[in-house]
Amino acid sequence: MAIVRSRIISQVLQRSSITTCFGHQKCSASSTAAVAAAAEVGVVGSKSMGFWLKDYEDYRKSLYGGNITHKALFVDAVGTLLVPAQPTAQIYRQMGEKYGVKYSEDEILNRYRWAYGQPWGKSRLRYVDDGRPFWQYIVSSSTGCSDAQYFEELYNYFMTEKAWQLCDPNAGKVFQALRNAGVKVAVVSNFDTRLRPLLRALNCEHWFDAVAVSAEVAAEKPNPTIFLKACDLLCVKPEDAVHVGDDRRNDVWGARDAGCDAWLWGSDVHSFKEVANRIGVHI
């Protein structure tokens, strides 16, 4: 077993080799995933992993000659920055009662999950422009109600500050501290064009240097294109950015495919203060 572990570690380290570009050290595209790869195959124990992570973070800091490990932070919207203020199925049922919706919240939730998981055949993207066709399908599939007025009431509600709350109430303070330290911050989200007005309604649009929305970029996570677009907006290289999101496939794997670092919200990090500390900005 020890021999197998040694071979795997060797392979991971080979994949995370460092190259030199014009006299400056630069992390290769796959180096960011090396630590995660080792953790996922279980090649190191918790103490060894902690040492490895510290060693990796020290290496990241050496790239910039200071305490900062990354030049940019990307943040997922729903599930990381924001969550619904009330369960979605509860809102669907409450607003739908006057339109004849009879399903229970549990049934609405089950139907919602089923509909959301189905292939969206009308476009390769769910969120095109305002995303109305996709959301009309979701609402009618979840509730059995196709009333246009009901849909508009729901659709508009989820663009207001009443519908959402911050996952971390200290987010604004943390993002400002990061920006003061020279770390750029962007939202990278699979969302329709309601995201920008929603961020304004929540009075948090000014927290970010850029917003990369799938409906505008015409690419949805885990497609690396949306992460590369965020890099372009912030004028940073992929290897200089770290993305934080709650979905392993969309956020972690997608970001790493683009050459960015990635941390899973709720697992690798649990608050934006923790994110800032890992980047090297202590609050």
Side-chain angles (χ1 to χ4, degrees):
M1 183 64 182
I3 295 175
V4 172
R5 289 186 176 188
S6 177
R7 287 176 179 173
I8 295 175
I9 292 172
S10 176
Q11 291 169 1
V12 171
L13 289 173
Q14 288 174 8
R15 295 208 312 268
S16 63
S17 60
I18 300 169
T19 59
T20 302
C21 181
F22 299 104
H24 298 283
Q25 285 186 319
K26 178 181 176 183
C27 186
S28 66
S30 60
S31 66
T32 299
V35 173
E40 287 173 4
V41 299
V43 298
V44 289
S46 58
K47 291 184 179 180
S48 298
M49 192 62 188
F51 175 80
W52 195 345
L53 284 172
K54 184 181 183 304
D55 189 54
Y56 175 71
E57 289 173 1
D58 288 344
Y59 159 68
R60 293 283 320 182
K61 291 176 183 178
S62 73
L63 292 175
Y64 311 122
N67 291 322
I68 303 298
T69 63
H70 299 82
K71 293 182 179 180
L73 169 65
F74 301 159
V75 178
D76 173 45
V78 179
T80 306
L81 178 66
L82 309 170
V83 288
Q86 294 176 256
T88 299
Q90 185 179 88
I91 295 298
Y92 277 29
R93 183 189 60 79
Q94 289 177 350
M95 289 190 176
E97 285 180 343
K98 61 184 175 183
Y99 297 100
V101 173
K102 303 295 184 182
Y103 295 146
S104 67
E105 289 180 26
D106 286 343
E107 189 167 3
I108 290 173
L109 178 59
N110 290 333
R111 292 170 66 96
Y112 179 99
R113 287 172 173 168
W114 178 87
Y116 201 87
Q118 299 305 301
W120 177 237
K122 295 186 178 181
S123 168
R124 65 185 179 87
L125 301 173
R126 295 169 298 173
Y127 310 119
V128 176
D129 297 327
D130 60 15
R132 284 176 182 272
F134 174 73
W135 286 116
Q136 285 171 334
Y137 160 72
I138 292 295
V139 170
S140 61
S141 297
S142 302
T143 63
C145 180
S146 300
D147 187 291
Q149 188 172 347
Y150 170 49
F151 170 76
E152 288 300 321
E153 187 175 344
L154 272 177
Y155 183 88
N156 291 323
Y157 169 77
F158 281 103
M159 194 166 49
T160 68
E161 69 279 6
K162 296 183 296 183
W164 302 90
Q165 63 187 24
L166 294 172
C167 287
D168 183 347
N170 295 316
K173 175 183 176 181
V174 173
F175 294 151
Q176 187 59 55
L178 285 166
R179 295 173 74 190
N180 290 344
V183 179
K184 299 177 181 179
V185 184
V187 174
V188 179
S189 175
N190 286 351
F191 213 109
D192 53 62
T193 50
R194 288 176 295 173
L195 181 58
R196 291 181 187 275
L198 173 59
L199 293 176
R200 287 194 292 271
L202 291 166
N203 195 31
C204 62
E205 186 182 34
H206 64 284
W207 294 350
F208 306 101
D209 298 292
V211 177
V213 190
S214 62
E216 299 173 357
V217 177
E220 294 178 6
K221 298 180 293 185
N223 188 328
T225 299
I226 190 170
F227 297 100
L228 295 175
K229 178 62 176 180
C231 291
D232 289 343
L233 291 172
L234 295 185
C235 298
V236 298
K237 298 176 182 177
E239 59 264 31
D240 292 337
V242 58
H243 176 72
V244 176
D246 66 316
D247 187 292
R248 187 177 299 277
R249 176 178 178 270
N250 286 345
D251 293 304
V252 177
W253 296 355
R256 288 174 179 166
D257 281 347
C260 303
D261 206 345
W263 300 330
L264 185 64
W265 181 262
S267 179
D268 299 323
V269 290
H270 300 84
S271 70
F272 287 116
K273 181 178 180 180
E274 186 178 351
V275 170
N277 287 341
R278 286 192 64 172
I279 290 175
V281 178
H282 299 285
I283 300 170

